[in-house]
Amino acid sequence: MTRTVYVNGEYLPETEATVSIFDRGFLMADAVYEVTSVLGGKLIDFDGHAVRLKRSLDELDMAEPCTKDELLEIHRKLVELNGIEEGMVYLQVTRGSDGDRDFVFPSDDTKPTLVLFTQNKPGLANSPAAQKGIRVISIDDIRWGRRDIKTTQLLYPSLGKMMAKKAGADDAWMTEDGYVTEGTSNNAYFVKNGKIVTRPLSNDILHGITRKAVLRMAAEAQMVVEERLFTIDEAKEADEAFVTSASTFVMPVVEIDGAQLGDGAPGPIAKRLREIYLEESLKAAV
């Protein structure tokens, strides 16, 4: 089935969607993006994604392509047109094109490019991976310094996932100056003696929308959370671990660099947080 996608004000079959070869998103990764999950045909954490999108645009001095209400309407229409019950809506904004390649930004009247498409993911909430947990390896973090801006500069995270795959693992945690920053497409946590530990917010990591919601829910459930730097060796000695992201929610980690955590099965805190997140997010979905 051909998807209907959105490109600069038009809903089109994916086979007819085009952008300029001079678009700065294509030439220079001069673009930001968001991914919003869909459960039960409704959008999860849409407001959080919209707020972060505006922050990313502001940090790069990039114009907003439309209002938040217009974005919500586009999201909802794409979900409806493509019959998405469980899946994701991908959104990308680029600085656009003035018809040629140049390192200097185009003129202020150049319109940004806005593209959205859906991905149908049946069984997203009941992922088999969440039942058994994932295995991660550690790799050096050599990305640029503004990881808090959700840009499309994803080459190294992609390479990291391939490193993990070649090592027989599922994903990679990146480290810098001896400390874990985050996963290739998620925020990282470990649990020791009932305490949840995760790196604090800064320019070094993405300010995850799911992270924010999960930490709030953990506090409401009277779980202890400590935001601080931590090492891979410390995480390898943990009772359990997990990652969070918009597409995986709360995903248990059962092995780090070949070291089994606990009994090798998803831990109770990760499982409980996943249950709470899915339950509460569905209630608030739009």
Side-chain angles (χ1 to χ4, degrees), residues 228-256:
R228 64 170 173 81
L229 302 184
F230 65 93
T231 67
I232 279 289
D233 285 341
E234 189 176 6
K236 286 165 68 174
E237 297 297 322
D239 301 320
E240 57 177 295
F242 59 93
V243 297
T244 62
S245 73
S247 58
T248 61
F249 312 124
V250 179
M251 179 63 66
V253 172
V254 296
E255 182 182 291
I256 301 174

Side-chain angles (χ1 to χ4, degrees), residues 52-219:
R52 186 173 63 184
L53 174 66
K54 185 180 186 309
R55 180 183 183 276
S56 293
L57 292 170
D58 289 346
E59 290 295 310
L60 296 178
D61 195 24
M62 196 180 295
E64 293 182 64
C66 61
T67 68
K68 176 183 171 183
D69 287 343
E70 289 169 335
L71 270 185
L72 177 57
E73 176 57 30
I74 297 168
H75 277 72
R76 284 174 164 166
K77 187 165 183 178
L78 284 177
V79 169
E80 178 184 357
L81 290 173
N82 292 291
I84 305 297
E85 280 297 309
E86 289 194 349
M88 291 170 279
V89 181
Y90 177 91
L91 172 157
Q92 181 169 310
V93 184
T94 86
R95 206 177 299 273
S97 167
D98 60 1
D100 209 341
R101 181 183 182 275
D102 198 331
F103 279 90
V104 176
F105 288 176
S107 61
D108 291 341
D109 60 357
T110 301
K111 291 184 178 181
T113 296
L114 176 61
V115 172
L116 291 91
F117 58 82
T118 58
Q119 293 180 304
N120 189 36
K121 302 283 186 179
L124 186 65
N126 296 314
S127 165
Q131 304 302 315
K132 64 178 184 178
I134 63 171
R135 296 175 295 164
V136 303
I137 62 169
S138 61
I139 61 175
D140 291 335
D141 195 339
I142 58 173
R143 299 172 297 165
W144 82 314
R146 291 303 306 276
R147 301 149 194 168
D148 57 307
I149 305 173
K150 196 171 177 68
T151 72
T152 59
Q153 298 180 59
L154 297 172
L155 178 57
Y156 188 66
S158 178
L159 291 172
K161 285 190 183 291
M162 293 308 299
M163 291 179 212
K165 183 176 180 180
K166 290 176 182 177
D170 303 294
D171 204 352
W173 281 8
M174 294 176 281
T175 65
E176 184 176 56
D177 299 327
Y179 297 104
V180 175
T181 50
E182 57 192 338
T184 58
S185 58
N186 44 60
N187 292 118
Y189 315 71
F190 75 87
V191 181
K192 186 69 174 180
N193 298 326
K195 180 187 292 184
I196 301 167
V197 178
T198 192
R199 189 180 179 108
L201 294 179
S202 68
N203 290 349
D204 297 328
I205 66 171
L206 184 68
H207 298 191
I209 302 306
T210 307
R211 176 192 186 278
K212 182 179 180 179
V214 167
L215 291 185
R216 173 178 57 80
M217 293 171 187

